[in-house]
């Protein structure tokens, strides 16, 4: 369900919005929020990432020598996920996306909806993110659904 109103969205965002994601501002178009759900030192990092309407992260790649990648569990609002060279996938609560390492992709909110997902960093060897270019505004504007 698309939710433009932030107060209504917060009623569904059961894992909480958390503070502004200031450490990664340069990798997002629009405002995002990060609410860590586990301590990164525990070996498996989970965070609830919330996107205001129209917010999305840049294209990026999760590199790993072995293992690695990311899992997204969509929890509230509606968003998009897209792998390079493939059509965008509509995300709604309950959608699970498994992102293998070395796959260039992006994810974020639909233009008219708040959106949250739990991001799970899959453990692996020599894991790192490579941040790439922003999602093209014209291409993003063409997404419908």
């Amino acid at each position: 369900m698309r939710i433009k109103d932030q107060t209504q969205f917060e009623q569904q965002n059961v894992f909480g919005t958390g503070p502004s994601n200031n450490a990664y501002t340069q990798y997002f178009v629009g405002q995002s929020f990060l609410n860590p759900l586990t301590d990164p030192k525990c070996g498996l990092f989970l965070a609830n990432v919330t996107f205001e309407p129209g917010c999305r992260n840049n294209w990026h790649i999760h590199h790993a020598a072995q293992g690695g990648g990311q899992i997204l569990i969509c929890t509230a609002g509606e968003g998009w996920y897209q792998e390079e060279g493939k059509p965008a996938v509509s995300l709604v609560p309950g959608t699970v996306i498994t992102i293998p390492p070395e796959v260039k992709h992006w994810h974020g909110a639909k233009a008219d909806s708040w959106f949250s997902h739990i991001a799970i960093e899959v453990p692996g060897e020599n894991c790192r993110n490579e941040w790439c270019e922003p999602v093209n505004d014209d291409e993003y504007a063409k997404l419908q659904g």
Side-chain angles (χ1 to χ4, degrees):
M1 173 159 72
R2 294 186 191 185
I3 307 170
K4 282 187 174 182
D5 180 71
Q6 186 177 7
T7 302
Q8 182 185 4
F9 174 77
E10 291 303 337
Q11 294 173 357
Q12 290 188 6
N13 192 15
V14 296
F15 292 99
T17 298
S20 293
N21 190 9
N22 293 333
Y24 290 89
T25 299
Q26 69 268 29
Y27 305 120
F28 284 76
V29 172
Q31 182 65 55
S32 67
F33 304 85
L34 184 67
N35 188 20
L37 303 176
T38 61
D39 184 336
K41 298 174 193 162
C42 80
L44 183 63
F45 183 62
L46 285 83
N48 190 48
V49 184
T50 299
F51 303 78
E52 69 178 357
C55 177
R56 67 260 187 202
N57 54 30
N58 289 4
W59 288 96
H60 59 285
I61 304 166
H62 301 279
H63 293 291
Q66 185 174 354
Q70 187 178 47
I71 299 170
L72 306 178
I73 302 173
C74 306
T75 58
E78 290 193 25
W80 294 110
Y81 168 77
Q82 185 173 22
E83 293 182 5
E84 186 175 45
K86 295 184 178 179
V89 175
S90 179
L91 304 176
V92 296
T95 304
V96 177
I97 300 289
T98 302
I99 307 164
E102 311 306 327
V103 172
K104 188 174 182 181
H105 66 282
W106 69 271
H107 34 102
K110 290 188 176 177
D112 59 353
S113 182
W114 283 83
F115 175 64
S116 281
H117 64 55
I118 296 174
I120 303 167
E121 299 297 327
V122 178
E125 293 179 19
N126 300 318
C127 293
R128 66 178 179 83
N129 282 358
E130 176 186 353
W131 290 99
C132 306
E133 71 279 3
V135 175
N136 177 291
D137 286 339
D138 292 335
E139 292 299 312
Y140 179 79
K142 291 178 187 174
L143 296 175
Q144 303 202 10

Short mmCIF file of all heavy atoms in Angstrom, two decimals, residues 39-83:
data_model
loop_
_atom_site.label_atom_id
_atom_site.label_comp_id
_atom_site.label_asym_id
_atom_site.label_seq_id
_atom_site.Cartn_x
_atom_site.Cartn_y
_atom_site.Cartn_z
N ASP A 39 23.83 -5.29 16.50
CA ASP A 39 25.15 -4.68 16.62
C ASP A 39 26.03 -5.26 15.51
O ASP A 39 26.13 -6.48 15.38
CB ASP A 39 25.74 -5.03 17.99
CG ASP A 39 27.07 -4.38 18.26
OD1 ASP A 39 27.80 -4.03 17.30
OD2 ASP A 39 27.40 -4.21 19.44
N PRO A 40 26.67 -4.40 14.70
CA PRO A 40 27.52 -4.92 13.61
C PRO A 40 28.60 -5.88 14.10
O PRO A 40 29.04 -6.75 13.35
CB PRO A 40 28.15 -3.66 13.01
CG PRO A 40 27.30 -2.53 13.46
CD PRO A 40 26.65 -2.95 14.74
N LYS A 41 28.98 -5.78 15.36
CA LYS A 41 30.03 -6.65 15.91
C LYS A 41 29.55 -8.08 16.13
O LYS A 41 30.35 -8.97 16.35
CB LYS A 41 30.55 -6.08 17.23
CG LYS A 41 31.20 -4.72 17.08
CD LYS A 41 31.55 -4.15 18.43
CE LYS A 41 31.90 -2.68 18.29
NZ LYS A 41 31.85 -1.98 19.57
N CYS A 42 28.23 -8.32 16.06
CA CYS A 42 27.70 -9.66 16.33
C CYS A 42 27.93 -10.62 15.17
O CYS A 42 27.70 -11.82 15.31
CB CYS A 42 26.23 -9.60 16.69
SG CYS A 42 25.11 -9.44 15.28
N GLY A 43 28.34 -10.10 14.01
CA GLY A 43 28.62 -10.96 12.87
C GLY A 43 27.55 -10.97 11.80
O GLY A 43 27.77 -11.43 10.69
N LEU A 44 26.35 -10.47 12.13
CA LEU A 44 25.27 -10.38 11.16
C LEU A 44 24.55 -9.05 11.39
O LEU A 44 23.90 -8.87 12.42
CB LEU A 44 24.29 -11.55 11.30
CG LEU A 44 23.15 -11.59 10.29
CD1 LEU A 44 23.68 -11.78 8.87
CD2 LEU A 44 22.18 -12.71 10.63
N PHE A 45 24.70 -8.13 10.45
CA PHE A 45 24.14 -6.80 10.62
C PHE A 45 22.80 -6.69 9.92
O PHE A 45 22.68 -6.99 8.73
CB PHE A 45 25.10 -5.74 10.10
CG PHE A 45 24.61 -4.33 10.32
CD1 PHE A 45 24.40 -3.85 11.61
CD2 PHE A 45 24.32 -3.50 9.25
CE1 PHE A 45 23.94 -2.56 11.83
CE2 PHE A 45 23.86 -2.20 9.46
CZ PHE A 45 23.67 -1.74 10.75
N LEU A 46 21.79 -6.26 10.67
CA LEU A 46 20.45 -5.99 10.14
C LEU A 46 20.08 -4.56 10.52
O LEU A 46 20.35 -4.13 11.65
CB LEU A 46 19.40 -6.91 10.76
CG LEU A 46 19.35 -8.36 10.31
CD1 LEU A 46 20.35 -9.19 11.03
CD2 LEU A 46 17.96 -8.88 10.56
N ALA A 47 19.48 -3.84 9.58
CA ALA A 47 19.02 -2.49 9.86
C ALA A 47 17.73 -2.23 9.11
O ALA A 47 17.53 -2.72 7.99
CB ALA A 47 20.07 -1.46 9.44
N ASN A 48 16.84 -1.47 9.73
CA ASN A 48 15.65 -1.00 9.04
C ASN A 48 16.03 0.30 8.34
O ASN A 48 16.45 1.27 8.98
CB ASN A 48 14.50 -0.76 10.02
CG ASN A 48 13.19 -0.52 9.31
OD1 ASN A 48 12.82 -1.27 8.40
ND2 ASN A 48 12.49 0.51 9.69
N VAL A 49 15.91 0.32 7.02
CA VAL A 49 16.22 1.50 6.23
C VAL A 49 14.89 2.07 5.73
O VAL A 49 14.09 1.35 5.14
CB VAL A 49 17.14 1.17 5.03
CG1 VAL A 49 17.52 2.44 4.29
CG2 VAL A 49 18.38 0.43 5.50
N THR A 50 14.67 3.35 6.00
CA THR A 50 13.45 4.02 5.59
C THR A 50 13.78 5.11 4.58
O THR A 50 14.77 5.83 4.75
CB THR A 50 12.72 4.63 6.82
OG1 THR A 50 12.38 3.56 7.71
CG2 THR A 50 11.46 5.37 6.41
N PHE A 51 12.96 5.21 3.55
CA PHE A 51 13.13 6.17 2.46
C PHE A 51 11.91 7.07 2.39
O PHE A 51 10.79 6.57 2.37
CB PHE A 51 13.25 5.44 1.11
CG PHE A 51 14.35 4.42 1.02
CD1 PHE A 51 14.20 3.16 1.59
CD2 PHE A 51 15.51 4.70 0.32
CE1 PHE A 51 15.20 2.21 1.47
CE2 PHE A 51 16.51 3.75 0.18
CZ PHE A 51 16.36 2.51 0.77
N GLU A 52 12.10 8.39 2.34
CA GLU A 52 10.97 9.28 2.09
C GLU A 52 10.53 9.09 0.64
O GLU A 52 11.28 8.51 -0.17
CB GLU A 52 11.37 10.74 2.33
CG GLU A 52 12.35 11.29 1.31
CD GLU A 52 12.68 12.77 1.53
OE1 GLU A 52 12.13 13.40 2.44
OE2 GLU A 52 13.52 13.28 0.77
N PRO A 53 9.32 9.53 0.27
CA PRO A 53 8.88 9.38 -1.12
C PRO A 53 9.92 9.93 -2.11
O PRO A 53 10.46 11.03 -1.91
CB PRO A 53 7.58 10.18 -1.17
CG PRO A 53 7.04 10.07 0.22
CD PRO A 53 8.27 10.14 1.10
N GLY A 54 10.23 9.13 -3.13
CA GLY A 54 11.19 9.53 -4.16
C GLY A 54 12.64 9.28 -3.81
O GLY A 54 13.51 9.38 -4.67
N CYS A 55 12.94 8.92 -2.57
CA CYS A 55 14.33 8.67 -2.16
C CYS A 55 14.79 7.31 -2.67
O CYS A 55 14.05 6.33 -2.65
CB CYS A 55 14.44 8.72 -0.64
SG CYS A 55 16.09 8.35 -0.02
N ARG A 56 16.02 7.27 -3.14
CA ARG A 56 16.62 6.00 -3.56
C ARG A 56 18.13 6.11 -3.40
O ARG A 56 18.70 7.20 -3.41
CB ARG A 56 16.26 5.64 -5.01
CG ARG A 56 16.83 6.57 -6.07
CD ARG A 56 15.83 7.54 -6.54
NE ARG A 56 16.28 8.35 -7.67
CZ ARG A 56 15.76 9.52 -7.96
NH1 ARG A 56 14.79 10.03 -7.23
NH2 ARG A 56 16.17 10.19 -9.01
N ASN A 57 18.76 4.94 -3.24
CA ASN A 57 20.21 4.95 -3.16
C ASN A 57 20.82 4.89 -4.55
O ASN A 57 20.13 4.60 -5.53
CB ASN A 57 20.75 3.85 -2.23
CG ASN A 57 20.27 2.47 -2.57
OD1 ASN A 57 19.99 2.13 -3.72
ND2 ASN A 57 20.15 1.63 -1.56
N ASN A 58 22.09 5.21 -4.64
CA ASN A 58 22.82 5.13 -5.90
C ASN A 58 22.96 3.67 -6.32
O ASN A 58 22.84 2.75 -5.49
CB ASN A 58 24.22 5.72 -5.76
CG ASN A 58 24.23 7.22 -5.61
OD1 ASN A 58 23.19 7.86 -5.54
ND2 ASN A 58 25.41 7.79 -5.55
N TRP A 59 23.27 3.48 -7.58
CA TRP A 59 23.68 2.17 -8.03
C TRP A 59 24.85 1.76 -7.15
O TRP A 59 25.69 2.59 -6.78
CB TRP A 59 24.13 2.22 -9.49
CG TRP A 59 23.01 2.40 -10.47
CD1 TRP A 59 22.58 3.58 -11.01
CD2 TRP A 59 22.19 1.38 -11.03
NE1 TRP A 59 21.54 3.35 -11.87
CE2 TRP A 59 21.27 2.01 -11.91
CE3 TRP A 59 22.13 0.00 -10.87
CZ2 TRP A 59 20.33 1.29 -12.62
CZ3 TRP A 59 21.18 -0.72 -11.59
CH2 TRP A 59 20.29 -0.07 -12.46
N HIS A 60 24.92 0.48 -6.80
CA HIS A 60 26.04 0.01 -5.99
C HIS A 60 26.22 -1.50 -6.16
O HIS A 60 25.35 -2.19 -6.69
CB HIS A 60 25.87 0.39 -4.51
CG HIS A 60 24.63 -0.14 -3.86
ND1 HIS A 60 23.36 0.39 -4.09
CD2 HIS A 60 24.45 -1.15 -2.97
CE1 HIS A 60 22.48 -0.28 -3.36
NE2 HIS A 60 23.11 -1.22 -2.67
N ILE A 61 27.37 -1.97 -5.70
CA ILE A 61 27.75 -3.37 -5.82
C ILE A 61 28.27 -3.83 -4.47
O ILE A 61 29.11 -3.15 -3.86
CB ILE A 61 28.84 -3.58 -6.89
CG1 ILE A 61 28.39 -3.01 -8.24
CG2 ILE A 61 29.22 -5.06 -7.00
CD1 ILE A 61 29.52 -2.86 -9.25
N HIS A 62 27.80 -4.97 -4.00
CA HIS A 62 28.34 -5.60 -2.79
C HIS A 62 29.40 -6.61 -3.25
O HIS A 62 29.05 -7.65 -3.79
CB HIS A 62 27.24 -6.32 -2.00
CG HIS A 62 26.14 -5.40 -1.58
ND1 HIS A 62 26.23 -4.59 -0.48
CD2 HIS A 62 24.92 -5.16 -2.13
CE1 HIS A 62 25.11 -3.89 -0.36
NE2 HIS A 62 24.31 -4.21 -1.36
N HIS A 63 30.64 -6.25 -3.04
CA HIS A 63 31.75 -7.13 -3.44
C HIS A 63 32.07 -8.10 -2.30
O HIS A 63 31.93 -7.75 -1.13
CB HIS A 63 33.00 -6.32 -3.77
CG HIS A 63 32.87 -5.46 -4.98
ND1 HIS A 63 32.78 -5.97 -6.26
CD2 HIS A 63 32.82 -4.10 -5.11
CE1 HIS A 63 32.69 -4.97 -7.12
NE2 HIS A 63 32.70 -3.83 -6.45
N ALA A 64 32.52 -9.30 -2.66
CA ALA A 64 32.98 -10.27 -1.67
C ALA A 64 33.85 -11.30 -2.37
O ALA A 64 33.56 -11.71 -3.50
CB ALA A 64 31.80 -10.96 -0.99
N ALA A 65 34.90 -11.73 -1.69
CA ALA A 65 35.74 -12.81 -2.22
C ALA A 65 35.01 -14.14 -2.10
O ALA A 65 35.17 -15.03 -2.93
CB ALA A 65 37.06 -12.86 -1.46
N GLN A 66 34.19 -14.26 -1.06
CA GLN A 66 33.38 -15.47 -0.85
C GLN A 66 32.19 -15.07 0.00
O GLN A 66 32.30 -14.23 0.90
CB GLN A 66 34.20 -16.55 -0.13
CG GLN A 66 33.49 -17.86 0.01
CD GLN A 66 34.41 -18.94 0.58
OE1 GLN A 66 35.59 -18.73 0.79
NE2 GLN A 66 33.84 -20.09 0.84
N GLY A 67 31.02 -15.68 -0.25
CA GLY A 67 29.82 -15.31 0.49
C GLY A 67 29.40 -13.90 0.12
O GLY A 67 29.59 -13.46 -1.01
N GLY A 68 28.84 -13.18 1.08
CA GLY A 68 28.49 -11.78 0.88
C GLY A 68 27.17 -11.59 0.16
O GLY A 68 26.40 -12.52 -0.04
N GLY A 69 26.91 -10.35 -0.21
CA GLY A 69 25.66 -9.96 -0.83
C GLY A 69 24.74 -9.33 0.19
O GLY A 69 25.17 -8.94 1.28
N GLN A 70 23.47 -9.23 -0.15
CA GLN A 70 22.51 -8.55 0.71
C GLN A 70 21.13 -9.17 0.52
O GLN A 70 20.81 -9.68 -0.55
CB GLN A 70 22.46 -7.06 0.35
CG GLN A 70 21.63 -6.20 1.26
CD GLN A 70 21.67 -4.73 0.87
OE1 GLN A 70 21.51 -4.39 -0.29
NE2 GLN A 70 21.88 -3.87 1.85
N ILE A 71 20.33 -9.12 1.58
CA ILE A 71 18.93 -9.54 1.53
C ILE A 71 18.09 -8.36 1.98
O ILE A 71 18.41 -7.71 2.98
CB ILE A 71 18.67 -10.76 2.43
CG1 ILE A 71 19.52 -11.95 1.98
CG2 ILE A 71 17.18 -11.12 2.45
CD1 ILE A 71 19.52 -13.12 2.94
N LEU A 72 17.02 -8.07 1.24
CA LEU A 72 16.08 -7.02 1.60
C LEU A 72 14.74 -7.66 1.94
O LEU A 72 14.23 -8.48 1.18
CB LEU A 72 15.87 -6.04 0.44
CG LEU A 72 17.10 -5.40 -0.17
CD1 LEU A 72 16.70 -4.50 -1.34
CD2 LEU A 72 17.88 -4.62 0.88
N ILE A 73 14.18 -7.29 3.10
CA ILE A 73 12.85 -7.74 3.50
C ILE A 73 11.99 -6.49 3.61
O ILE A 73 12.19 -5.67 4.51
CB ILE A 73 12.88 -8.51 4.83
CG1 ILE A 73 13.81 -9.72 4.72
CG2 ILE A 73 11.46 -8.93 5.23
CD1 ILE A 73 14.04 -10.44 6.03
N CYS A 74 11.06 -6.34 2.69
CA CYS A 74 10.24 -5.14 2.63
C CYS A 74 9.16 -5.21 3.71
O CYS A 74 8.49 -6.23 3.85
CB CYS A 74 9.63 -5.00 1.25
SG CYS A 74 10.91 -5.06 -0.02
N THR A 75 9.02 -4.11 4.47
CA THR A 75 8.15 -4.14 5.64
C THR A 75 7.02 -3.12 5.62
O THR A 75 6.01 -3.32 6.29
CB THR A 75 8.97 -3.94 6.92
OG1 THR A 75 9.68 -2.70 6.84
CG2 THR A 75 9.96 -5.08 7.11
N ALA A 76 7.17 -1.99 4.92
CA ALA A 76 6.12 -0.96 4.94
C ALA A 76 6.23 -0.07 3.71
O ALA A 76 7.33 0.16 3.20
CB ALA A 76 6.22 -0.11 6.21
N GLY A 77 5.09 0.42 3.23
CA GLY A 77 5.09 1.30 2.06
C GLY A 77 5.39 0.55 0.79
O GLY A 77 5.25 -0.68 0.72
N GLU A 78 5.83 1.30 -0.25
CA GLU A 78 6.15 0.68 -1.54
C GLU A 78 7.44 1.26 -2.10
O GLU A 78 7.71 2.45 -1.95
CB GLU A 78 5.02 0.89 -2.55
CG GLU A 78 3.78 0.10 -2.20
CD GLU A 78 2.78 0.05 -3.34
OE1 GLU A 78 3.17 0.19 -4.52
OE2 GLU A 78 1.58 -0.15 -3.04
N GLY A 79 8.21 0.39 -2.76
CA GLY A 79 9.49 0.82 -3.32
C GLY A 79 9.83 0.09 -4.60
O GLY A 79 9.01 -0.63 -5.18
N TRP A 80 11.09 0.29 -5.02
CA TRP A 80 11.63 -0.32 -6.23
C TRP A 80 12.96 -0.98 -5.93
O TRP A 80 13.71 -0.53 -5.07
CB TRP A 80 11.89 0.74 -7.30
CG TRP A 80 10.68 1.42 -7.85
CD1 TRP A 80 10.31 2.72 -7.64
CD2 TRP A 80 9.70 0.86 -8.72
NE1 TRP A 80 9.15 3.00 -8.32
CE2 TRP A 80 8.76 1.87 -9.00
CE3 TRP A 80 9.51 -0.40 -9.29
CZ2 TRP A 80 7.65 1.66 -9.82
CZ3 TRP A 80 8.43 -0.60 -10.11
CH2 TRP A 80 7.50 0.42 -10.37
N TYR A 81 13.25 -2.03 -6.69
CA TYR A 81 14.56 -2.68 -6.73
C TYR A 81 14.88 -2.91 -8.19
O TYR A 81 14.02 -3.36 -8.95
CB TYR A 81 14.56 -4.02 -5.98
CG TYR A 81 15.80 -4.83 -6.24
CD1 TYR A 81 17.00 -4.52 -5.61
CD2 TYR A 81 15.79 -5.89 -7.14
CE1 TYR A 81 18.15 -5.25 -5.86
CE2 TYR A 81 16.93 -6.63 -7.40
CZ TYR A 81 18.11 -6.31 -6.76
OH TYR A 81 19.25 -7.02 -7.02
N GLN A 82 16.12 -2.63 -8.58
CA GLN A 82 16.50 -2.87 -9.97
C GLN A 82 17.95 -3.32 -10.06
O GLN A 82 18.83 -2.72 -9.44
CB GLN A 82 16.31 -1.62 -10.81
CG GLN A 82 16.57 -1.84 -12.29
CD GLN A 82 16.23 -0.65 -13.14
OE1 GLN A 82 16.17 0.49 -12.68
NE2 GLN A 82 15.99 -0.90 -14.42
N GLU A 83 18.16 -4.38 -10.83
CA GLU A 83 19.51 -4.82 -11.19
C GLU A 83 19.86 -4.24 -12.54
O GLU A 83 18.98 -4.06 -13.40
CB GLU A 83 19.57 -6.35 -11.26
CG GLU A 83 19.39 -7.01 -9.92
CD GLU A 83 19.50 -8.53 -9.98
OE1 GLU A 83 19.82 -9.10 -11.06
OE2 GLU A 83 19.26 -9.15 -8.93
#
